[in-house]
């Protein structure tokens, strides 16, 4: 039993943290928030340049060849600093799909460019059936048609991985029949776009029976990695709130000395740590491709979504009125919490996945 | 026990309804709001016109006594008017502070000449009022006010900063609480004034909220002069005046909580499929619809209890503090769940998915503010614990010391 | 608008409260708890003798002919004092079914005897479909067969009202084919029995289409009345906990001065008051047979079940260790909360009813 | 990061498993417990036999240093033994206090002769120990202890009352905290002793819990004599000794929380229909199953973090306090929901519906106790807030005054 990261892994995370603390600043994040940038080029170049973003991509494809445990810790730091970069799109989702299912030619073509930051890739993998008000996308005979309502980083992507039923396909966003337009979301620091494909030439990443399993696998990996971002964000906003509560006074006392706030923060901490251990377990399952991965990933996603949403909400409450202003960063955490919690399907969809897996297991 | 109108109430309602139909357009949906497409100045101007029309018809200050220029009506009539007016596309909120809190305070505490000067103009919409109590260092702890009021002969010189002043940018006057004596304990050195919001030295900056709204302002006060005649109540007696203002606020609160949240949830779920089935067949969705109704209809019923007390000639007590506790948490949970249901699509802002979505999203963004404005959840729980349940107050170390000695 | 009870109604409630404070004591309740009695004869005789139990039964059938509002307040007092009597069985359920659907002969025969306390009647009306592990009871050609797992006061009842599908039938517990045996439940202060009917002669209270509506109506009335018992119990256990918190000291202070306990009690109070207003609204709907009754009754039941369960749980927590002992009354409230919350179907079944009604209404 | 056994751990596990198979019967279901049908004396006697057998095989005190008679093993080995033992029908819990807290305290603080007298007998099951700290007026606030220890030459005379003493009725010895100086502040006048539970003046009465269990006792102490040689640590130094005992308790806690709650819920729902559909198709039921797993597997993982710290030579910190917060609330919610699902039938006690039901019902009845024992939820939240998050301690007025001056 060794339920912890290694010293080397922690060291890498510390380097990333140092870099992010310097570059992924409130000012930088707010450039994206205000629409002056699609993402932070500085943060992105650093993350790619350090080999951090491509930690889990094998060296043969231009990655650092470290592994998922490293990538998980990097994700935690990215979440902690609200890094406004396409890390999830390009690495947790698109690269993941290519690594798990692309053929040699597809992998050779795309992975090195993703790993090196030359191409930003993205993916829309949430099950269209989970919540649908329109028809599901269709892929047949090498052509894809359908609407993808919320595709992260769609406007800057050089490669799209899209889901039609249980098939994942590669689409060149510049191909004829692809229409993209930017959409406003609750978290403007992570821009999204709508992608509409009309009879677009598309390459299957893998077909037939393996498709469903593949989608699951990629979603599970993304769930674990996003959970680390969520844990990072939840931990940070609690620290910010704690620090504020130590400094702010009312009724002649630090507000952090009032038991109501102490216990509120203890509850947030408890939810955060519950999320953390489930995320760690997910990291372990992901790193060794354990059969427990579906359960572990779903548990991590649910616990982390609950925790970050709640930590962010209470972060504002602890600050009082000033926490509700645009100038304070509290709302950036609340927005990011919501974004991360819904990107690949909400906690409710994942709770169902978790329960289904548990019920199967108990049969 | 009877929820239906009494014959008198029914008659009043019919009268109100007739008048409204003759003077305004009915709303066509729950989410429709007055003033979409108008700029700020146009909205304020429309509000003044509407206020004057209400005043002429006797609906501007229904519960005020006739000697203040009100209609001498009952709280119940006020409620009936509000219920009916809500169905029409008319400006609301702009005069809420004026009529609900500021002018009653003026009427109660000002010298007769000052009262005569302001109260009638307030009712007909010529003057709009705001409230200047909160400060950066005096939020939950109003006693922490540091805005300085120094007496110079017949004038007071005001210096300091207020925050969360609702509508300051379009208001004509305000009631201002300031520290007039730094050697008295914190609640005993405050004085209340009427301030001219257009006076030299008053600088107003909008507060940008996380919801994108800017309904509140910071107000910077630099050597602002206030004649002593515009003092409300006694020198250093401001705490008592403020309590009387907040008493009025308590009666007004809760009237603007959404009353159809569960219908929004139903509407959003009606057209969609969730996990391969109609969303409305999912027992989780139904559970949240039921919970939404429990919070929201509960809030309405708690208000009804308060109104019953009013109509029996009693004042609704501190137990009304539970209103906002139920509503704030309820709104956050319900709006959050609505967004979650749609997964990634729930993130899209101002979207094609219809007014319900936009409404629920705005609600989600405002929910943290609702939990803070007019007393945080924690302050309200203290009120319930101490004033309703009789539990001991918090240990205080700051109550008796001279304010200047309190460590910052 | 007059959302309150009248002075006369309050006066009656006060009399009942005075009587119950004297008779429905911890000692008396514990006689039933220990199995030394099936119910408190003293409390029962007083409630019947005062005309309180039969408040809603018309004078022509031997009742007090007051109304539901009066009965609601009496229910609140019974809940407050954990009255160990068959009030719900005989009056909220059985008499209610007879009044709403019995024919003149059935009413003349049974209602006066119930109102006068000569016969204790009971009923098992929860929808067998709500949670079922066995076959549903069947009524055909005047004969009833089926198992009724939890029938309150079954062992002392002289009349059974049982549900088969949507039909309510009258059964004489002494009739051939009826087997009863006492069962242990989580709340021994309110004994229950299992009733098994094997081809038993039974009289329909009403048949065909009206049956379903009748069942709904009786269950809705019972839901409102039980909600008042729950509100009474929840209010009382909060008072008990508050009093204890004012008296008990730790760390040199009254424990009730700690903000954690203050806010816990404020939250319990809030839930209680939410239940109270929904119960009041249910009382109004019941008293004037308003079309809002199904929604109001379901809302009252859910809110009151949540509130009493929670108040009772936190009542123990506020007391600390001593609250968990058999000698303290806290657990009597926790048991009664559970009993009342499940007797006619749990909050979950009722939440579904509430949502279904709201969805229909919004169509 | 690796959840699987290391080669060394796997080898130890195999060894343990072999030994257990040779010495005990495997349990056939999760709910099966040792000793059903045995009376108290028979259970204790069986526990002594089992303890001796474990001691002979080196499993009685795995983590203790060899100089105390332990096996000098790792915390991980202790856990592996526990995990494996749980699958067998053997007596558990009886020696938990002895080995987990009392004897380590004796080993750390007693004079060598006293240690030699007790520690070896404790390990082999000849002596069973209990802990006497809590009192009617000293629950969460252990410093409120009023049991009086008066020195008379080489003896101490003990008078007072203890409560919540687990297993007092079958124990041979206990560690007792008593007030030796009433003129010192509350935490500074306490002394720790070894008490002979069979000594004259020790009267034990079972506490009847609401769950029907009687695992705890009140212990009345009247002129009980304790030789000064049986003092643990310094006179008036008892607080420090107690903290060392509780440190051990913290490591032990959490090991006995149910680890298959979500399976119970699945089992109960599997055979039933709810609202006309299989209960397991209801999304509410599935939601609760998922939540049950999150709490319960979360608890296991938090323990795994603590064990990882241990195995790295660190002490698990105050962050382990969240364990019981998660578990207590989780159990209450999950067991309550299970009962609710079945409506009226959920009320039936000890019923035909099977062991799962009976187990869940007992769990529901014990949940309030779990939230209290070993620190209430409120105390644990304070620990997290103060010791993990670094927030200020509660305002204390009782810390420096002589105990006798503290108002009761």
């Amino acid at each position: 039993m060794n339920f912890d990261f290694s010293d080397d892994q922690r060291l890498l995370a510390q380097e990333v943290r140092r870099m992010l603390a310097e570059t992924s600043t409130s000012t930088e994040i707010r450039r994206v928030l205000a629409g002056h940038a699609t993402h932070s080029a500085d943060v992105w170049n650093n993350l790619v340049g350090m080999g951090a973003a491509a930690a889990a991509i094998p060296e043969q494809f231009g990655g650092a060849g470290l592994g998922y445990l490293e990538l998980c810790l990097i994700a935690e730091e990215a979440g902690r600093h609200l890094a406004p970069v396409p890390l999830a799109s390009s690495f947790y989702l698109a690269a993941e799909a290519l690594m798990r299912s692309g053929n040699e030619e597809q992998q050779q073509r795309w992975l090195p460019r993703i790993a090196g930051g030359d191409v930003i890739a993205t993916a829309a993998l949430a099950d269209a059936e989970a919540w649908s008000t329109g028809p599901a996308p269709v892929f047949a005979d090498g052509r894809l048609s359908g609407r993808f309502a919320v595709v992260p980083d769609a406007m800057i992507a050089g490669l799209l991985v899209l889901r039609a039923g249980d098939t994942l396909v590669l689409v060149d966003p510049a191909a004829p029949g692809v229409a993209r337009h930017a959409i406003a979301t609750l978290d403007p620091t992570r821009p999204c776009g709508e992608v509409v494909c009309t009879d677009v030439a598309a390459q299957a990443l893998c077909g037939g029976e393996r498709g469903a399993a593949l989608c699951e696998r990629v979603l599970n990996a993304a769930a674990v990695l996003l959970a680390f971002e969520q844990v990072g964000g939840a931990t940070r906003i609690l620290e910010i709130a704690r620090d504020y509560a130590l400094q702010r006074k009312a009724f002649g006392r630090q507000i952090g000395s009032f038991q109501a706030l102490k216990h509120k923060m203890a509850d947030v901490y408890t939810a955060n740590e519950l999320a953390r251990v489930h995320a760690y377990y997910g990291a372990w399952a992901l790193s060794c491709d354990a059969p427990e991965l579906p359960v572990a990933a779903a548990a991590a996603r649910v616990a982390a979504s609950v925790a970050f949403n709640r930590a962010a909400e209470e972060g504002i409450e602890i600050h009082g009125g000033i926490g509700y202003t645009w100038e304070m960063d509290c709302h950036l955490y609340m927005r990011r919490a919501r974004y991360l919690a819904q990107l690949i399907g909400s906690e409710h969809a994942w709770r169902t996945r978790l329960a289904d897996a548990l019920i199967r297991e108990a049969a | 026990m009877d929820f239906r109108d009494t014959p008198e109430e029914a008659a009043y309602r019919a009268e109100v309804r007739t008048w409204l139909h003759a003077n305004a357009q009915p709303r066509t949906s729950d989410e429709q709001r007055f003033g979409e497409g108008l700029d700020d100045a146009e909205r304020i101007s429309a509000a003044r016109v509407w206020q004057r029309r209400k005043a002429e018809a006797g609906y501007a200050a229904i519960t005020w006594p006739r000697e203040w220029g009100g209609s001498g009506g009952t709280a119940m009539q006020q409620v009936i008017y509000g219920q009916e007016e809500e169905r029409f596309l008319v400006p609301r909120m702009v005069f809420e502070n004026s009529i609900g809190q500021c002018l009653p305070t003026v009427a109660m505490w000002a010298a007769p000449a000052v009262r005569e000067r302001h109260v009638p103009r307030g009712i007909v919409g010529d003057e709009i009022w705001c409230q200047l109590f909160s400060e950066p260092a005096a939020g939950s702890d109003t006693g922490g006010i540091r805005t300085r009021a120094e007496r110079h002969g017949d004038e007071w010189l005001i210096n300091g900063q207020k925050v969360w002043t609702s509508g300051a940018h379009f208001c004509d006057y305000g009631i201002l609480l300031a520290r007039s004596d730094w050697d008295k304990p914190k609640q005993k050195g405050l004085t209340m004034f009427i301030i001219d919001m257009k006076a030299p030295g008053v600088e107003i900056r909008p507060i940008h909220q996380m919801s994108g709204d800017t309904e509140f302002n910071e107000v910077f006060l630099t050597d602002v002069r206030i004649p002593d005649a515009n003092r409300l109540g006694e020198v250093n007696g401001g705490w008592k005046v403020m309590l009387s203002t907040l008493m009025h606020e308590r009666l007004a609160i809760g009237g603007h909580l959404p009353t159809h949240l569960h219908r929004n949830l139903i509407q959003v779920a009606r057209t969609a499929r969730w996990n391969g089935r109609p969303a409305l067949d999912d027992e989780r969705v139904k559970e949240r619809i039921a919970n939404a109704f429990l919070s929201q209809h509960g809030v309405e019923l708690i208000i009804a209890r308060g109104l019953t007390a009013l109509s029996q000639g009693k004042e609704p007590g501190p137990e009304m503090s539970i209103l906002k506790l139920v509503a704030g948490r309820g709104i956050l949970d319900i709006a959050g769940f609505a967004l979650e249901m749609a997964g990634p699509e729930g993130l899209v802002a101002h979207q094609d998915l219809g007014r319900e979505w936009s409404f629920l999203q705005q609600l989600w963004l405002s929910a943290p503010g609702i939990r803070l404005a007019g007393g945080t959840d924690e302050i309200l729980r203290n009120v319930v614990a101490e004033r309703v349940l009789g539990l001991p107050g918090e240990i205080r170390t700051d109550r008796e010391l001279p304010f200047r000695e309190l460590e910052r």
Side-chain angles (χ1 to χ4, degrees), chain A residues 36-347:
Chain A
H36 301 319
T38 57
H39 64 291
S40 166
D42 270 7
V43 172
W44 187 238
N45 292 338
N46 284 336
L47 272 178
V48 171
M50 292 169 78
I57 296 182
E59 286 177 280
Q60 66 185 108
F61 297 124
L66 293 166
Y68 285 111
L69 294 179
E70 285 76 6
L71 187 57
C72 283
L73 284 183
I74 290 156
E76 183 179 345
E77 296 305 324
R80 190 178 163 83
H81 294 89
L82 301 178
V85 291
L87 190 60
S89 309
S90 222
F91 288 93
Y92 313 164
L93 290 165
E96 200 51 35
L98 279 158
M99 282 197 290
R100 288 287 147 186
S101 65
N103 58 38
E104 180 78 15
E105 186 266 328
Q106 289 166 327
Q107 292 175 334
Q108 281 296 0
R109 178 160 178 221
W110 290 110
L111 283 174
R113 295 159 79 184
I114 293 172
D118 309 315
V119 165
I120 289 168
T122 187
L125 306 187
D127 184 357
E129 267 302 285
W131 175 265
S132 60
T133 51
V138 176
F139 175 70
D141 302 327
R143 318 293 295 183
L144 175 72
S145 289
R147 172 175 170 271
F148 302 86
V150 184
V151 185
D153 302 299
M155 306 311 290
I156 55 172
L159 175 67
L160 305 172
V161 182
L162 300 174
R163 176 174 184 168
D166 284 331
T167 306
L168 294 190
V169 300
L170 292 182
V171 169
D172 175 356
V178 178
R180 293 186 279 184
H181 69 269
I183 52 174
T185 74
L186 289 175
D187 181 10
T189 70
R190 296 295 308 112
C192 294
E194 183 192 47
V195 175
V196 180
C197 294
T198 315
D199 196 33
V200 172
Q203 235 181 38
L205 266 176
C206 71
E209 282 172 33
R210 277 191 54 221
L214 166 69
C215 286
E216 292 302 289
R217 180 58 172 70
V218 176
L219 281 171
N220 285 336
V224 172
L225 291 159
L226 289 172
F228 273 87
E229 287 206 15
Q230 292 168 311
V231 167
T235 303
R236 182 68 190 123
I237 183 63
L238 175 59
E239 289 172 10
I240 291 172
R242 190 259 328 261
D243 292 348
Y244 183 78
L246 285 172
Q247 162 231 315
R248 168 84 177 176
K249 288 194 176 154
F251 305 103
R253 295 160 56 176
Q254 292 162 294
I255 63 170
S257 74
F258 284 99
Q259 208 174 27
L261 291 198
K262 289 168 67 174
H263 286 200
K264 186 189 287 293
M265 287 187 257
D267 287 345
V268 169
Y269 174 83
T270 302
N272 287 358
E273 290 304 296
L274 198 60
R276 179 182 300 282
V277 291
H278 281 295
Y280 279 27
Y281 187 64
W284 165 78
L286 181 60
S287 70
C288 62
D289 219 350
E292 287 89 346
L293 180 60
V295 162
R301 175 140 186 88
V302 175
S305 297
V306 169
F308 193 13
N309 273 328
R310 173 178 183 171
E313 286 165 12
E314 298 300 348
I316 293 177
E317 179 77 10
I318 292 163
H319 278 75
I322 198 165
Y324 189 62
T325 60
W326 190 264
E327 284 69 26
M328 292 290 285
D329 286 348
C330 295
H331 71 108
L332 301 183
Y333 287 87
M334 189 160 161
R335 292 170 187 282
R336 183 63 63 85
R338 188 61 48 198
Y339 172 83
L340 293 174
Q342 302 194 198
L343 191 59
I344 56 167
S346 80
E347 60 172 89

Side-chain angles (χ1 to χ4, degrees), chain A residues 130 248 251 317 326 335 348, chain B residues 136 141 208 210 274 340 378:
Chain A
R248 168 84 177 176
F251 305 103
E317 179 77 10
W326 190 264
R335 292 170 187 282
H348 305 288
Chain B
D141 180 12
H208 197 171
M210 69 162 277
W274 207 22
E340 282 160 9
E378 286 65 41

